Amino acid sequence: MPQPLFDFDLKRVSRENYITGKAAINFPHPGSTTGGWHFLAYFDRESGVSKVSLAGIHYPDTTAYFGDLGIIDVTDELAKRGWSVEGRRLFMADHYRAAADMIVRWALSESIHCNVEIDNWFPSRAERQRLLEILDTARSQLSKVGRWQKVEVWLRTQTFS
């Protein structure tokens, strides 16, 4: 039976199985100028349903690529928005780690199209540079499995205004 694309509550969220992908990209992290566009599409407080992808469950475990870079405790921020799991800390990828996780997931797949849009999601030069630096930490591991070249080809197609 195929693995569902989302968890619909936050009960499996942990430091190892942190929220990543588009739910993390769209989370309005304090002090960040990226993300926050479609938060309610992933965290519908009215229905009590969250639609989140978890690292190591719905996404590959990217610890070997990035360590714990960009994994943050969002317990208090989620609680402010009405989301909590009693007695548990909740973790999420920041925007950079979430995008990097998405890129690694795509690089490891057989898909031709990567749906990360660097120029749109990271509007400033500094934000784009930070994403590229984080992504570069995966170069060695992706090279070992023959997937870094796929990322390089894709990066050449990105427009950086």
Side-chain angles (χ1 to χ4, degrees):
M1 186 168 152
Q3 173 71 33
L5 296 176
F6 301 109
D7 263 27
F8 296 103
D9 58 36
L10 303 175
K11 292 180 179 152
R12 295 198 294 178
V13 175
S14 67
R15 185 143 184 81
E16 296 76 29
N17 300 123
Y18 56 89
I19 299 166
T20 192
K22 287 194 175 180
I25 288 286
N26 286 290
F27 189 76
H29 294 288
S32 177
T33 60
T34 66
W37 306 286
H38 304 291
F39 172 75
L40 295 177
Y42 298 94
F43 296 91
D44 184 354
R45 186 68 251 156
E46 206 169 288
S47 71
V49 173
S50 61
K51 293 190 313 190
V52 297
S53 296
L54 303 178
I57 296 174
H58 308 99
Y59 270 67
D61 176 355
T62 58
T63 305
Y65 300 92
F66 305 113
D68 64 356
L69 188 66
I71 300 171
I72 55 178
D73 185 329
V74 291
T75 307
D76 296 338
E77 287 301 317
L78 279 170
K80 287 178 192 174
R81 292 168 172 79
W83 292 92
S84 63
V85 177
E86 194 169 323
R88 306 254 325 274
R89 303 304 297 169
L90 300 173
F91 295 88
M92 183 181 297
D94 66 14
H95 298 137
Y96 303 98
R97 175 63 179 262
D101 282 350
M102 292 174 70
I103 293 165
V104 167
R105 180 184 191 201
W106 163 76
L108 296 173
S109 78
E110 297 307 316
S111 177
I112 296 169
H113 178 71
C114 180
N115 64 359
V116 173
E117 299 176 30
I118 294 175
D119 203 35
N120 291 339
W121 295 3
F122 300 94
S124 78
R125 169 177 251 144
E127 290 164 339
R128 289 188 299 272
Q129 186 59 40
R130 182 167 176 209
L131 174 65
L132 294 174
E133 288 168 3
I134 290 169
L135 194 55
D136 194 55
T137 65
R139 177 190 305 254
S140 174
Q141 290 296 322
L142 285 171
S143 293
K144 285 180 185 177
V145 295
R147 296 301 178 133
W148 180 250
Q149 185 177 11
K150 182 178 181 181
V151 173
E152 286 182 314
V153 169
W154 171 75
L155 283 171
R156 285 193 294 270
T157 69
Q158 297 297 293
T159 58
F160 299 103
S161 53

